[in-house]
Amino acid sequence: MTATLSKVDRGRVQETRPRPPRRYRLSNLDTKVSPYLFVAPFFVLFGAIGLFPLLYTAYVSLFDWEVGADEPLFIGLENYRTLFEDDQFWNALFNTFSIFLLSSAPQIVVAVVIAALLNANLRARTGWRMGVLLPYVASLVALTIIFGNLFGPQYGLVNDVLGLVGIDPIDWQASTFGSHVAIASMVNWRWTGYNALIILAAMQAIPRDVYEAALVDGASALRRFFSITLPMLKPTLIFVVVTSTIGGLQIFTEPKLFEPSGGSGGGTEHQYQTVVLYLYQSAFQGLDLGYASAIAWVLFMVVIAVAALNFFLTRRAVR
Amino acid sequence: MRHRWISVLICAAVSAAATTACGTGGASQTADGKTELTIATFNEFGYEELFKEYEAAHPDVKITQRKTGQGQPHHQNLFTKLGAGSGLADIEGVEEGYLSQVMSKASQFNDLKEIGPKVEDGRWLDWKTQAMTTKDGKLIGYGTDIGPLAMCYRKDLFQQAGLPSDPEGVKALFATWDSYFAAGDQFVAKVPGVAWFDSAAQVYNAMHNQLETGYYDKSDKLVVDTNADIKSNWTAVTGAVAKGQSARLGAFSNEWNTGFKLGKFATKTCPSWMLGVVETQAGPENKDKWAVTDAFPNGGGNWGGSYLSVPKQSKNAKKAAELAAWLTAPEQQIKAFKAKGTFPSQVKALEAPELLEQTNAYFGNVKAGALFATQAKKIKAAQYKGPADGQIQETVFSPALQSVEQGKNADEAWTTAVEGAKKAAK
């Protein structure tokens, strides 16, 4: 279309413009090229460390590619076929979603409550607000090792405390649900405060006059919270859900360091092996890069599917 | 190697953020013109003082040690960076369990007969050298230590159970695995709250390494389900677990360390290098409670032992080989043995008076050198290790035994283990 349009004679005589002087040509070039140069760093970086690994992983996943092997063997979609028949993969996918639900769901509820408390008239308000962010500042690895000790099956503090109130010790390593709770508690400890601050920021953006009108109409504090605060927080809550979905589906450090002997199996029977941990195990213990790449791509697809689901829910919710 | 440019590209992109991340092998010269040699080890090699000695004798060399706590992450790193084509130290420690995986990539290591200095014939025990020699006669690693097995035990707890506790008296208990497990039954009946051994996998691995044929036969065929010895070891160990003989503490975990401190188990399978580990974990408060005797169920055995290899990616391969040859000479290995109990694999070192007279203060001044030399003589040959041998032991059989300790049915766990071994060997 554009090609034909440009040939149409619009009845105007083309003015032959004088050739601009040399220095203008340079500044002309400047206005045309510079913007691309300014945005280039992002695209170059994204290409090198975002797009390229993504595509190269897809390429590797089509091979039987062992670390250090001389000649990788092309096997097409064989890795994917094996993967879909691999019980350990489905188990890992289940664990990932289970830990994700156990961490994200309570976390957002608690974060909203904390945000509401921080939004009230407190003494030393800034101190409290900074305080909830402290777990986020602490090193993830240190945090995980400490939690690993707390949840030690035999000499852990958590079981000691449970013993005081008459509950039998739980083998946090052996039990699937127990290990998921332990790992989810690490995630919650770290992220609840962070999410609370985001929600708090959104709460403060809610116009005061809406609350005043409700107050004049005689709405109680609880009513105001459920009828004004929560609905107006919706876009922010969805943002928090989306980010925690993406983070939650890629959980790795916590289950990796929760394994007491330092392996990557995620428990003696893979009770808490997540998808990324299985990926890691395939790549760096099994040294099977092709298979690990296939896991990476399937996980990528799962994250996209969940993110897309979130996107459509978001659009409906906001309208 | 074909894909080296990719890692270069990634390094270039990453190096903006972390300049030290890549190509450590490339930074071979320090600011003052010395040659920097890096050496990557795991657990305790006992080389710290030797490095100072070597640096003093060779003013042009600066040695940097990269120390990893456990064998598994060390070797993961080794194989990953072999694949990447860069990032390895000039000298890489290789543990026996990973030997066959290394042998299958022998082309990426230097032939030490070719680049190394002249080393006297018969420096090492024959089987030690043989295991690291390729089919076409290349030597890709100098032997450092071996792991002759003895038995460590808690004297005080033995007394409490009414068992003999002097080093001669306990030998009858440690004559065979049957007598060992029988004594365990007696012990757990008398001393409540204390187990006989630390974890099933620790005992099982010791038993396994005594077998003539392990997970693989010599033609690299996986024989895990046809080798009856493996199954009978499994049955014996899981039977003992069922009777409460295991403290159910995964080796090298935090809870295992706590178990040492609290004295939660009475015996420990003790390769020579374990003495240092016991001392560190049990701590000064348990000094003189631990003892070691020159007896081990069913004779002797070997667990572990390492080599020093020089990957082809090293930029200072010749100097690295010189250092490695020096470190693995009998005189130096005795010093390492004195420092950390790494038991020398060198014939001359085994006869050296310094070794035979060496004592261990933590273990009641026992003549540890002579003791482990006796144990070393009981070893006939090192078991042949197949391609995925280390992986099967660490990621298949050990977790499977742990699952039995966590309450899983032993027969089901056996099925899982056999399947897991087949998958690992694929």
Side-chain angles (χ1 to χ4, degrees):
Chain A
M1 284 297 282
T2 46
T4 46
L5 271 177
S6 65
K7 280 179 189 160
V8 173
D9 180 12
R10 297 195 194 117
R12 266 198 288 156
V13 182
Q14 283 272 316
E15 281 178 52
T16 47
R17 284 207 301 212
R19 230 174 118 82
R22 198 183 159 81
R23 58 195 175 111
Y24 287 135
R25 257 186 284 152
L26 210 62
S27 73
N28 233 354
L29 196 73
D30 181 39
T31 52
K32 274 184 184 151
V33 177
S34 300
Y36 291 104
L37 279 178
F38 291 142
V39 296
F42 167 76
F43 286 99
V44 169
L45 269 183
F46 174 74
I49 64 179
L51 192 63
F52 169 72
L54 192 72
L55 297 177
Y56 195 66
T57 306
Y59 172 73
V60 171
S61 74
L62 303 177
F63 289 83
D64 181 7
W65 192 314
E66 199 202 333
V67 171
D70 301 328
E71 211 44 56
L73 187 74
F74 182 80
I75 52 169
L77 295 174
E78 190 62 25
N79 279 328
Y80 292 92
R81 207 180 62 87
T82 319
L83 186 63
F84 289 126
E85 288 168 359
D86 185 351
D87 290 342
Q88 202 178 336
F89 171 72
W90 293 110
N91 170 61
L93 200 61
F94 164 77
N95 290 343
T96 306
F97 274 97
S98 165
I99 293 171
F100 161 62
L101 287 177
L102 282 172
S103 53
S104 292
Q107 182 182 319
I108 287 165
V109 174
V110 174
V112 171
V113 173
I114 291 178
L117 290 176
L118 289 175
N119 203 22
N121 271 324
L122 290 171
R123 196 173 289 181
R125 211 159 39 175
T126 315
W128 288 110
R129 286 177 187 175
M130 291 315 292
V132 296
L133 204 59
L134 275 182
Y136 181 70
V137 177
S139 149
L140 177 58
V141 171
L143 181 89
T144 310
I145 289 172
I146 291 170
F147 268 78
N149 281 341
L150 293 180
F151 283 103
Q154 294 192 47
Y155 312 122
L157 187 68
V158 175
N159 273 345
D160 286 352
V161 171
L162 288 182
L164 287 180
V165 294
I167 299 174
D168 283 341
I170 296 164
D171 194 332
W172 301 102
Q173 290 289 334
S175 129
T176 302
F177 183 68
S179 62
H180 291 188
V181 169
I183 290 168
S185 71
M186 302 178 203
V187 181
N188 288 335
W189 171 262
R190 185 170 157 83
W191 289 98
T192 306
Y194 174 85
N195 285 331
L197 281 196
I198 291 180
I199 294 167
L200 174 64
M203 267 183 194
Q204 291 181 333
I206 298 173
R208 292 284 119 190
D209 45 359
V210 184
Y211 285 109
E212 279 159 21
L215 206 60
V216 170
D217 287 347
S220 69
L222 215 59
R223 180 72 201 272
R224 271 176 278 149
F225 179 76
F226 282 105
S227 299
I228 300 172
T229 314
L230 270 191
M232 295 191 89
L233 279 181
K234 219 175 220 169
T236 310
L237 286 179
I238 284 157
F239 167 78
V240 169
V241 168
V242 171
T243 51
S244 71
T245 306
I246 293 170
L249 292 181
Q250 299 184 43
I251 187 165
F252 169 73
T253 314
E254 290 89 345
K256 168 80 177 109
L257 293 175
F258 192 56
E259 173 106 39
S261 300
S264 304
T268 53
E269 296 181 89
H270 317 299
Q271 291 95 327
Y272 48 89
Q273 185 174 51
T274 58
V275 175
V276 183
L277 194 55
Y278 187 38
L279 186 162
Y280 178 83
Q281 190 185 34
S282 304
F284 301 113
Q285 246 171 32
L287 305 178
D288 193 348
L289 291 187
Y291 197 60
S293 299
I295 297 176
W297 258 84
V298 172
L299 178 64
F300 178 56
M301 292 301 166
V302 169
V303 172
I304 286 189
V306 175
L309 189 73
N310 273 325
F311 178 71
F312 288 116
L313 290 176
T314 316
R315 289 216 308 186
R316 184 174 292 178
V318 169
R319 270 173 194 172
Chain B
M1 297 301 278
R2 230 164 52 115
H3 303 277
R4 174 176 239 153
W5 61 275
I6 289 149
S7 60
V8 171
L9 195 82
I10 291 166
C11 277
V14 171
S15 60
T19 40
T20 52
C22 320
T24 345
S28 53
Q29 293 273 325
T30 61
D32 49 358
K34 288 184 181 179
T35 306
E36 187 185 6
L37 294 177
T38 47
I39 173 165
T41 62
F42 51 92
N43 285 333
E44 299 287 357
F45 273 60
Y47 283 168
E48 283 74 8
E49 292 302 315
L50 292 174
F51 292 149
K52 287 179 200 159
E53 203 181 316
Y54 192 81
E55 283 178 336
H58 299 77
D60 59 325
V61 170
K62 187 185 175 298
I63 299 168
T64 309
Q65 187 181 16
R66 294 188 211 153
K67 207 167 163 179
T68 310
Q70 293 171 22
Q72 197 178 310
H74 167 86
H75 290 89
Q76 252 175 49
N77 179 61
L78 174 65
F79 293 120
T80 310
K81 287 179 177 165
L82 270 184
S86 72
L88 285 178
D90 295 306
I91 300 174
E92 287 278 339
V94 172
E95 209 257 339
E96 184 205 5
Y98 297 88
L99 200 112
S100 289
Q101 269 171 293
V102 168
M103 293 299 280
S104 67
K105 295 168 177 53
S107 61
Q108 301 190 33
F109 291 91
N110 281 301
D111 177 10
L112 296 172
K113 281 182 187 163
E114 186 191 318
I115 67 150
K118 178 105 184 77
V119 171
E120 67 275 13
D121 281 343
R123 176 187 275 190
W124 294 277
L125 295 165
D126 279 346
W127 58 265
K128 182 74 181 172
T129 315
Q130 203 55 47
M132 204 55 158
T133 308
T134 61
K135 281 174 187 151
D136 51 353
K138 287 176 184 152
L139 178 70
I140 60 168
Y142 291 136
T144 59
D145 58 328
I146 49 176
L149 281 160
M151 194 57 92
C152 293
Y153 65 99
R154 284 273 302 243
K155 281 184 286 187
D156 57 328
L157 295 173
F158 270 47
Q159 276 162 9
Q160 215 177 312
L163 294 169
S165 65
D166 61 294
E168 287 307 311
V170 293
K171 280 185 182 171
L173 307 180
F174 302 146
T176 64
W177 288 110
D178 288 341
S179 69
Y180 175 75
F181 291 127
D185 283 338
Q186 219 177 321
F187 179 88
V188 292
K190 292 266 177 59
V191 187
V194 180
W196 182 236
F197 51 81
D198 55 339
S199 86
Q202 291 286 289
V203 172
Y204 172 83
N205 288 342
M207 293 170 85
H208 180 80
N209 280 304
Q210 284 180 335
L211 300 179
E212 204 182 312
T213 305
Y215 297 123
Y216 286 89
D217 68 12
K218 287 195 174 144
S219 56
D220 284 342
K221 187 171 163 280
L222 189 74
V223 292
V224 63
D225 50 351
T226 51
N227 186 346
D229 293 338
I230 295 179
K231 183 68 199 274
S232 76
N233 282 349
W234 173 277
T235 311
V237 173
T238 52
V241 170
K243 290 178 192 160
Q245 290 191 23
S246 170
R248 304 181 293 121
L249 301 165
F252 304 104
S253 69
N254 277 321
E255 295 229 315
W256 187 69
N257 299 345
T258 311
F260 266 117
K261 281 237 156 45
L262 298 178
K264 287 291 181 185
F265 46 89
T267 67
K268 175 80 205 77
T269 52
C270 260
S272 41
W273 49 264
M274 189 63 84
L275 296 192
V277 180
V278 173
E279 182 174 346
T280 313
Q281 298 310 341
E285 65 266 38
N286 288 311
K287 188 170 186 277
D288 292 331
K289 285 182 186 165
W290 279 98
V292 59
T293 184
D294 55 337
F296 197 77
N298 287 12
N302 180 65
W303 176 13
S306 301
Y307 297 86
L308 295 182
S309 64
V310 180
K312 283 216 170 127
Q313 44 179 274
S314 164
K315 298 235 162 64
N316 295 305
K318 234 181 156 68
K319 283 193 173 177
E322 262 167 46
L323 171 60
W326 183 82
L327 285 170
T328 55
E331 304 79 43
Q332 276 65 252
Q333 285 296 307
I334 283 172
K335 290 177 190 163
F337 169 71
K338 280 174 162 177
K340 291 291 174 189
T342 58
F343 201 78
S345 61
Q346 292 77 1
V347 178
K348 245 189 202 149
L350 288 175
E351 293 155 0
E354 295 107 303
L355 177 108
L356 297 175
E357 245 122 73
Q358 201 261 4
T359 57
N360 188 309
Y362 190 81
F363 284 79
N365 286 320
V366 67
K367 284 200 164 179
L371 187 148
F372 283 107
T374 311
Q375 290 305 100
K377 280 171 201 152
K378 295 181 186 166
I379 306 167
K380 291 178 194 86
Q383 182 189 82
Y384 177 76
K385 302 280 189 185
D389 222 299
Q391 207 192 334
I392 290 173
Q393 175 169 312
E394 288 201 46
T395 71
V396 178
F397 267 78
S398 295
L401 283 161
Q402 264 173 29
S403 75
V404 175
E405 293 176 308
Q406 289 172 344
K408 189 175 178 170
N409 177 294
D411 293 330
E412 281 171 30
W414 169 257
T415 314
T416 312
V418 171
E419 276 167 15
K422 284 178 178 164
K423 197 175 160 190
K426 182 185 75 91

